[in-house]
Amino acid sequence: MNKFLLSILILLFTFVNAFGQCAGTYVLRNQNEVNNFKDDDCSELDGNLRIGEFNGFSNITDLSPLAGLKKISGDLTITRTNNLINFNGLNSLNNIGGDLIIEYNDGLESLTGLSQLDSIGGFLSVTYSPILYNLFGLGNLESIGGDFQVTNTSINSFEDLNSLNNFNGSILVRYNRLSSFDGLENIESIEGFTFSNNDKVTNFEGLENLTSVNGDFIIEKTALIDFTGLESL
């Protein structure tokens, strides 16, 4: 009986992997671990993927071994990289069921490589990436299920989010070089809004279709002159 059960388990494992499915939490701390990921033949990950170190900074520079990955049911976290300048290699990824967390990436210049991503089930958080100036690469993103946070970056534009039409979470924007809210024209209702520590935005143009904020609306330490753009609120 034990041999029979073992045979069934082996067959099931072979069947699942034949379709490029894998499960669990994958942690890729360095370039070698990224390179070895392709050996798992994983196009659909039922779990979480973390790319980068827990402490210090990773030596990862190339995500091309992840080129076959199309779907992640859980979270994708890309963190603590010094030399990763973009996300080329994630070009097939179209769905993240959980959160997309991008943080502490000192060399990150763009989000190129995420051009096929159209849905994030959880929140989108882009923080502590000092030379990231825009969200280029997210042009096909249509849905964010949770909050949207951009903090401590050099991002000056949200124009690459102009496909976003399904969003009801909170918006948190702090310590950036944002010059306008252009790109958020499709957003109609949000849970909350926090905008602070910005000396460039003078009004709310780009949010003309926003009709309701269900929670807090917080503005502090900005260069705002008037509330142009919030006429529908």
Side-chain angles (χ1 to χ4, degrees):
M1 180 62 72
N2 289 336
K3 290 183 178 180
F4 176 77
L5 289 175
L6 180 61
S7 299
I8 293 296
L9 288 173
I10 291 173
L11 286 172
L12 286 173
F13 181 81
T14 302
F15 178 82
V16 169
N17 279 285
F19 288 89
Q21 296 176 335
C22 50
T25 294
Y26 282 68
V27 179
L28 311 178
R29 296 187 180 185
N30 54 56
Q31 189 63 53
N32 284 337
E33 292 179 355
V34 172
N35 294 343
N36 291 334
F37 183 85
K38 63 183 178 182
D39 296 335
D40 290 332
D41 189 27
C42 183
S43 61
E44 296 187 7
L45 172 58
D46 184 12
N48 305 308
L49 176 60
R50 180 187 176 97
I51 300 171
E53 277 289 1
F54 288 93
N55 298 299
F57 285 89
S58 170
N59 67 350
I60 295 172
T61 59
D62 177 25
L63 299 180
S64 61
L66 309 182
L69 188 60
K70 297 179 180 179
K71 181 178 180 181
I72 299 172
S73 69
D75 302 336
L76 171 60
T77 302
I78 304 174
T79 183
R80 293 192 173 277
T81 67
N82 252 346
N83 302 309
L84 188 65
I85 63 173
N86 57 49
F87 295 151
N88 284 335
L90 294 175
N91 307 71
S92 298
L93 185 63
N94 57 57
N95 183 276
I96 297 172
D99 304 328
L100 174 56
I101 303 168
I102 300 167
E103 61 183 8
Y104 299 106
N105 296 288
D106 287 0
L108 187 64
E109 298 176 1
S110 84
L111 304 186
T112 303
L114 296 177
S115 59
Q116 296 300 313
L117 184 64
D118 59 29
S119 176
I120 299 171
F123 63 76
L124 169 60
S125 177
V126 183
T127 62
Y128 296 99
S129 298
I131 61 172
L132 182 64
Y133 287 92
N134 56 56
L135 296 174
F136 181 76
L138 295 179
N140 283 326
L141 184 63
E142 298 179 358
S143 176
I144 299 175
D147 297 339
F148 171 48
Q149 174 180 217
V150 177
T151 304
N152 292 93
T153 73
S154 293
I155 288 174
N156 55 37
S157 170
F158 289 155
E159 291 182 2
D160 298 294
L161 293 177
N162 53 15
S163 294
L164 184 64
N165 54 44
N166 184 8
F167 174 78
N168 296 298
S170 295
I171 295 176
L172 174 62
V173 181
R174 299 187 302 180
Y175 296 102
N176 295 289
R177 297 182 180 178
L178 193 68
S179 58
S180 80
F181 289 100
D182 290 342
L184 302 182
E185 289 85 357
N186 295 325
I187 294 179
E188 298 179 358
S189 176
I190 59 177
E191 287 300 311
F193 184 89
T194 299
F195 179 54
S196 69
N197 299 89
N198 175 283
D199 61 1
K200 297 186 180 301
V201 174
T202 59
N203 58 46
F204 290 96
E205 290 181 354
L207 293 172
E208 285 84 358
N209 291 317
L210 183 64
T211 60
S212 67
V213 179
N214 297 320
D216 295 333
F217 193 95
I218 300 171
I219 303 169
E220 56 185 7
K221 297 181 181 179
T222 71
L224 286 168
I225 296 173
D226 57 47
F227 287 80
T228 301
L230 294 180
E231 290 83 0
S232 297
L233 189 60

